[in-house]
Amino acid sequence: MEARPNVISQSFYLFFGLFMGLVNMLAFTHSTHSFSSSNVNHDSNLSCKIYWNIDPFDEFIIPFLKKKTFECEISEDITFVDENGVLRIKVDDKAVTCYYSFLCRHFDYEPVLYTEPAILTKNGVQMDDNHMFANVSCYSPTFGDYKNNHYFIPNFHSVKPNPTKPSVIVLTIESLSRLSFLRFMNKSMATMNEIGHFHFFKAFHRVEQNSFPNAMALLAGVPMTDEEGAQGFGQFWDNYTFLWDHFNFSGYVTAFIEDVPNLGLFTWYKRGFFKSPTHFYPLPFWSQMYLNATSNIDKILNNSTNYCFEKAGPKIDIFLNQILEFGQKMKGQAKPYFVYSFFAQMTHEDFNNFALIDQSISTFLKQLRPLLDNTLLVIMGDHGPRVGSAVDSPMGLLETSLPFLSIRLPSLLGDKYSHLSNYLELNEERLTTPFDVRQMLLDVASGLLCFLFRLLYQFIILIISLANYEVPSRLESSFLTNVTTFSIFRQQVPSTRNCESANINPVFCTCNGVVNIYPKIGYHHVEAAKELVAHLNQIILQNNCTLKLKWARTEKGSVSK
């Protein structure tokens, strides 16, 4: 009973916050917002100064640069999926014999399930909502052996057309730093400049070490370390509310596309998702491309022959085409869509490999151009390079904490609300994080009514928590995180912001040129475990023993076994 006055008091302030939120959102939707030159902050008094103006070709980095090339053997397609979703034989060769199996998802962590192989006849076979992915094997005396994977993007009849809502594509590229983009991706930069209206963020900062916690900041708005993510190994991630859930609630068709799901964001520590997280979730398609991935990690990531799929071409082109075709189909149906995509294979181990994907990204952007009138495009890295000799240097430590971020507003939105672009420009040199990108995307998903509903939702959760009732984890993950964020296309990040207020782990903070000032809370125990096991194996070998020790990650760290 004594807690009731506190509840009433906090309720009053939250209702006041609801009112101010309404005022703020109305300002956001006002199309005549103007800026004067005095509003532009020249960043001379920032609490956190990021030294972004570094030569990408500094003399220190030159010895680590290598010219990389790869080529894929490409043959004519024997099978294809037509516009009606029918899997067909393309060539007119009576001697061709083809078999197909549909690829089915059981759970994210289990191997792909296959239907019984069947002969692919001249009439083809219809693909549908329950059979979106297929594996095909053919043989003919003319073409020899042929294998391919196919996918079908359904109409998703449960989502109604709404051409007024802006769509969203988020393309995250593993280990892409701002400096790596400037070094290796000149063609992509030229295409982005040709298309125009891209905003490049110079002080975009990772919040944690690896891909997973930075993805959780963006997708779920939850601060989480790798160690925390590994707790409860074997569980699922369904209890969290992700960005695609917000877009789904707002009437969007959603997609989560990941190129190596066997080693993925949500399957590395746990079992992924119990239910498909999005409308389009091509996990079976990509799992088929990386069979036995967990036992062949080194070959998959480092051997360039694995960058190709059979004779169908580079996997990155297949990956980007899947994003493009999803967007094209949804636009053709006037349905708003949200795509989160994560590409990892080619760029995880060697930053020189960004040169290998440059042409593919450039071509993708040119093909994507007709969609950009009503599609917000985010291209970003999860962090900078984390593998290689250059990483342990001061410059390497700086670069790995400053991933690439570029945002382009859809023309229809930018022209109507010019202040959105102005705010993005104001924040290009301000300390920003994945949490802030998430806040911007939540605004896109919400609109005014949904924004107010979300505030009311937060109010209800606060009342529940103050009344000492248990808050469902799915709700708690979205609202009770205590992270200060800024919607970077309608709010200016304050000059007083620093790593602490931005929820950036101090181990990885690069403010004012000081890097890794708290090594005691770093991840050196992992490297120490590896070195210890290697040293013990050397001693065992010298004593002619056949025993060999291995180290493995557990829920609480790394141990030998």
Side-chain angles (χ1 to χ4, degrees), residues 194-412:
E194 178 186 337
I195 294 173
H197 305 292
F198 279 89
H199 295 269
F200 299 92
F201 289 77
K202 302 178 179 68
F204 181 59
H205 206 294
R206 67 171 171 173
V207 294
E208 282 291 345
Q209 183 183 34
N210 292 320
S211 304
F212 168 75
N214 291 297
M216 284 297 285
L218 173 72
L219 296 173
V222 176
M224 184 177 292
T225 64
D226 284 279
E227 283 78 5
E228 290 170 337
Q231 293 176 7
F233 184 82
Q235 298 178 0
F236 297 97
W237 292 104
D238 297 66
N239 284 336
Y240 288 85
T241 303
F242 294 93
L243 271 178
W244 47 69
D245 295 313
H246 290 278
F247 279 93
N248 181 33
F249 177 80
S250 297
Y252 282 69
V253 183
T254 58
F256 174 26
I257 304 173
E258 190 176 29
D259 70 322
V260 195
N262 319 63
L263 312 174
L265 292 171
F266 299 101
T267 54
W268 185 249
Y269 290 130
K270 296 189 181 181
R271 293 189 173 190
F273 298 96
F274 185 79
K275 297 180 180 179
S276 293
T278 54
H279 292 95
F280 185 63
Y281 186 45
L283 178 138
F285 177 88
W286 289 101
S287 295
Q288 168 65 23
M289 288 196 178
Y290 293 97
L291 296 175
N292 303 315
T294 52
S295 60
N296 295 287
I297 296 177
D298 184 66
K299 291 181 180 179
I300 287 173
L301 299 180
N302 291 294
N303 189 334
S304 61
T305 60
N306 289 308
Y307 300 162
C308 311
F309 179 66
E310 298 295 340
K311 297 181 181 180
K315 291 176 182 175
I316 185 173
D317 290 343
I318 299 172
F319 179 83
L320 296 172
N321 284 336
Q322 200 167 75
I323 301 170
L324 177 66
E325 290 177 18
F326 179 85
Q328 289 172 334
K329 183 150 189 179
M330 293 307 104
K331 181 181 180 181
Q333 299 180 24
K335 294 181 179 180
Y337 57 89
F338 170 81
V339 180
Y340 176 74
S341 57
F342 188 87
F343 181 80
Q345 184 199 18
M346 294 176 64
T347 59
H348 185 278
E349 298 291 292
D350 187 351
F351 71 173
N352 289 285
N353 283 0
F354 288 111
L356 302 182
I357 70 171
D358 185 26
Q359 181 61 61
S360 295
I361 297 295
S362 175
T363 300
F364 168 70
L365 290 171
K366 292 176 182 178
Q367 295 172 330
L368 196 65
R369 193 167 187 173
L371 304 183
L372 295 181
D373 282 349
N374 200 31
T375 300
L376 188 151
L377 177 61
V378 179
I379 302 177
M380 62 187 295
D382 50 348
H383 48 70
R386 294 189 52 252
V387 179
S389 303
V391 172
D392 292 328
S393 68
M395 183 175 178
L397 291 171
L398 183 71
E399 180 172 347
T400 195
S401 283
L402 299 174
F404 176 77
L405 174 64
S406 179
I407 298 173
R408 187 189 188 278
L409 292 176
S411 304
L412 296 178

Side-chain angles (χ1 to χ4, degrees), residues 149-183:
N149 286 352
H150 293 286
Y151 58 88
F152 166 63
I153 301 172
N155 293 321
F156 301 110
H157 295 293
S158 62
V159 179
K160 298 179 180 179
N162 190 333
T164 63
K165 289 184 177 181
S167 295
V168 175
I169 293 176
V170 180
L171 172 59
T172 303
I173 302 174
E174 169 73 57
S175 301
L176 179 59
S177 68
R178 176 177 171 272
L179 290 178
S180 287
F181 182 84
L182 295 175
R183 276 189 211 106

